[in-house]
């Protein structure tokens, strides 16, 4: 969908690293509807050419944030700058942006070429130039030869490419993606994730992606901004967010974590010796957010793939209660004495339900979360 006509920040169609991609800066933007705060004061900067994902559950404020960037709604407070220009009070057509929606919003009575060139026609681009740029855009998304087709004659993946070409043909300064792959099946969605990411890198276009799909965010993003209840909870690279979640919400929303209540017994640099409340076992854990203090009650997060079966008497005694087959691996649910809920382990080690008690352990790959003991 076209939402751009800002020549001062318009970009070339073909770019390389270090070209004229622009930055985006959101400074203290808020949005409320009556007494409901959809977005609480939010500040974040995007580097030129970066792909940032706004990730969170429904109602967390990510789409409202994207719509404020697009100019569809105005923030109550704060400012939005694109390429150094304050666009806070500008309409969508003056911001130099391109947007792809989940529903694609293609015109059913128009051919592919007419859909892609619609924005150029609205801006009065001459027919020869329009035809050239439409052909370039279709080549970028690998739809050469399909210009005469209509949306109803195309697959979901092809329609998604048409919507992407329509957003890119105007040479936007920033690309906004509002859950663009939500209507596709899993295999096609994964393929399109790779294609969009590859195209975004080749064009070096600053991009904001809204998604509630954790795997999609980790696959496509330079950075992920996790949101909850209208607030930014944590921002970082996919590896940082997954390996070092700062809160219980982030740990549970992005992947699976085993959570343990614990008490800090000793601290050594960026590690702490902990006693698990449920079992009394002693473990070591990495401090993710701040130095833990002896005597603190904390929550420890351990990813399933970091649990291992050990042969000695160290670690947690556990009995297998369930096996979940995931194709490439198996997930084991283990019951631990003194704990009401099972812990989850992902491992290639074959185990049988009801097998004699095993011992589970992990090294220092656990993380202490910012919050205190769990409820």
């Amino acid at each position: 969908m076209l939402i751009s006509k800002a020549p001062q920040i318009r970009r070339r169609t073909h770019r390389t690293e270090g070209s004229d991609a622009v930055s985006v800066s959101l400074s203290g933007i808020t949005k409320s509807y009556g007494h409901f705060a959809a977005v609480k004061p939010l500040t974040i900067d995007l580097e030129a050419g970066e792909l940032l994902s706004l990730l969170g559950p429904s109602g967390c404020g990510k789409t409202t944030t994207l719509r404020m960037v697009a100019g569809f709604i105005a923030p109550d407070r704060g400012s939005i700058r694109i390429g150094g220009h304050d666009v806070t009070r500008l309409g969508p057509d003056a911001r130099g942006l391109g947007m792809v929606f989940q529903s694609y919003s293609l015109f059913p009575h128009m051919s592919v070429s007419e859909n892609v060139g619609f924005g150029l026609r609205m801006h009065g681009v001459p027919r020869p130039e329009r035809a050239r740029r439409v052909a370039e855009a279709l080549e970028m998304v690998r739809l050469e030869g399909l210009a005469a087709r209509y949306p109803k004659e195309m697959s979901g993946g092809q329609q998604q490419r048409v919507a992407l070409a329509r957003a890119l043909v105007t040479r936007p300064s920033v690309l906004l993606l509002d859950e663009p792959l939500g209507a596709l099946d899993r295999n096609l969605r994964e393929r399109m994730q790779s294609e969009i990411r590859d195209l975004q890198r080749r064009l070096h276009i600053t991009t904001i992606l809204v998604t509630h799909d954790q795997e999609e965010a980790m696959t496509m993003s330079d950075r992920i901004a996790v949101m909850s209840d209208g607030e930014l909870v944590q921002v970082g690279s996919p590896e940082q967010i997954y390996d070092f979640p700062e809160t219980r919400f982030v740990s549970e929303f992005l992947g699976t974590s085993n959570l343990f209540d614990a008490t800090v017994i000793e601290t050594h640099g960026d590690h702490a010796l902990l006693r698990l409340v449920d079992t009394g076992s002693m473990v070591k854990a990495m401090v993710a957010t701040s130095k833990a203090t002896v005597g603190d009650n904390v929550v420890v997060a351990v990813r399933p793939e970091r649990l291992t079966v050990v042969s000695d008497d160290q670690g947690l005694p556990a009995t297998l209660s369930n096996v979940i087959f995931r194709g490439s691996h198996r997930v084991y649910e283990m019951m631990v004495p003194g704990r009401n809920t099972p812990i989850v382990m992902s491992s290639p080690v074959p185990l049988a339900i009801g097998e004699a008690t095993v011992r589970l352990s992990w090294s220092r790959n656990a993380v202490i979360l910012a919050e205190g003991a769990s409820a």
Side-chain angles (χ1 to χ4, degrees):
M1 178 179 181
L2 169 73
I3 51 175
S4 67
K5 61 171 186 180
Q8 72 273 20
I9 50 178
R10 185 169 287 176
R11 303 149 52 93
R12 297 185 300 272
T13 300
H14 296 286
R15 309 167 184 84
T16 57
E17 187 73 21
S19 66
D20 57 346
V22 304
S23 60
V24 177
S25 179
L26 312 181
S27 180
I29 60 172
T30 67
K31 189 63 185 180
S32 296
Y33 297 97
H35 296 294
F36 173 68
V39 176
K40 298 167 186 177
L42 184 153
T43 297
I44 190 168
D45 294 329
L46 280 77
E47 296 181 1
E50 178 181 23
L51 193 155
L52 173 79
S53 287
L54 300 179
L55 174 68
S58 298
C60 71
K62 58 187 184 295
T63 296
T64 301
T65 300
L66 191 77
R67 290 175 65 84
M68 285 192 282
V69 176
F72 294 142
I73 57 178
D76 297 329
R77 296 183 181 84
S79 65
I80 300 170
R81 300 183 70 84
I82 297 176
H85 302 273
D86 190 337
V87 301
T88 311
R89 302 304 165 191
L90 296 182
D93 62 343
R95 296 195 179 194
L97 310 177
M99 189 163 186
V100 178
F101 297 94
Q102 181 176 357
S103 62
Y104 312 143
S105 299
L106 301 179
F107 298 111
H109 62 287
M110 291 185 180
S111 67
V112 167
S113 62
E114 290 170 336
N115 265 285
V116 174
F118 178 77
L120 299 177
R121 182 161 62 88
M122 290 298 98
H123 283 168
V125 175
R127 185 185 297 272
E129 171 70 4
R130 190 162 74 236
R132 183 184 65 80
R133 288 170 59 175
V134 167
E136 283 184 353
L138 292 178
E139 182 183 358
M140 278 193 293
V141 297
R142 298 190 296 111
L143 287 178
E144 311 97 308
L146 301 182
R149 287 193 184 181
Y150 287 83
K152 66 180 180 181
E153 301 172 326
M154 311 186 79
S155 68
Q158 289 172 330
Q159 291 184 43
Q160 196 276 341
R161 289 190 182 97
V162 174
L164 186 59
R166 184 176 58 182
L168 293 172
V169 75
T170 58
R171 300 171 180 171
S173 60
V174 176
L175 181 62
L176 306 179
L177 305 174
D178 188 7
E179 305 211 37
L181 307 179
L184 304 180
D185 63 69
R186 180 180 179 88
N187 289 338
L188 182 55
R189 185 168 65 249
E190 291 178 351
R191 188 159 67 247
M192 291 306 303
Q193 288 170 6
S194 297
E195 290 187 10
I196 291 175
R197 182 56 164 151
D198 178 66
L199 183 61
Q200 185 267 337
R201 284 172 169 159
R202 284 192 288 112
L203 299 182
H204 194 58
I205 185 170
T206 310
T207 302
I208 301 176
L209 167 69
V210 162
T211 182
H212 63 272
D213 188 313
Q214 300 96 323
E215 291 186 7
E216 183 169 285
M218 288 192 285
T219 298
M220 298 181 66
S221 309
D222 293 306
R223 284 190 303 157
I224 298 172
V226 183
M227 296 187 67
S228 177
D229 295 327
E231 294 183 301
L232 278 183
V233 181
Q234 186 174 349
V235 181
S237 70
E239 293 82 2
Q240 290 171 332
I241 298 291
Y242 184 83
D243 290 337
F244 304 107
E246 294 179 356
T247 69
R248 177 171 185 155
F249 173 80
V250 174
S251 177
E252 293 183 307
F253 188 78
L254 198 73
T256 301
S257 279
N258 298 296
L259 302 180
F260 300 90
D261 292 329
T263 301
V264 179
I265 303 303
E266 300 175 7
T267 59
H268 304 279
D270 62 350
H271 293 84
L273 182 64
L274 311 169
R275 178 181 290 114
L276 301 187
V277 173
D278 289 341
T279 67
S281 302
M282 304 291 285
V283 298
K284 291 180 179 180
M286 182 174 291
V287 180
T289 55
S290 60
K291 299 297 182 182
T293 301
V294 173
D296 285 351
N297 294 322
V298 297
V299 175
V300 184
V302 185
R303 296 294 188 187
E305 65 273 16
R306 293 175 183 162
L307 283 169
T308 58
V309 176
V310 294
S311 57
D312 54 32
D313 292 333
Q314 301 298 315
L316 300 175
T319 303
L320 178 64
S321 61
N322 190 28
V323 180
I324 303 171
F325 180 63
R326 293 282 174 83
S328 60
H329 64 284
R330 287 175 171 81
V331 174
Y332 299 100
E333 293 182 348
M334 316 288 291
M335 296 305 301
V336 175
R339 183 181 175 92
N340 294 325
T341 58
I343 62 176
V344 180
M345 179 180 72
S346 174
S347 172
V349 178
L351 297 172
I353 295 179
E355 186 173 297
T357 298
V358 297
R359 295 278 177 170
L360 302 179
S361 184
W362 63 88
S363 59
R364 298 182 176 186
N365 294 324
V367 172
I368 294 178
L369 304 181
E371 298 133 318
S374 62

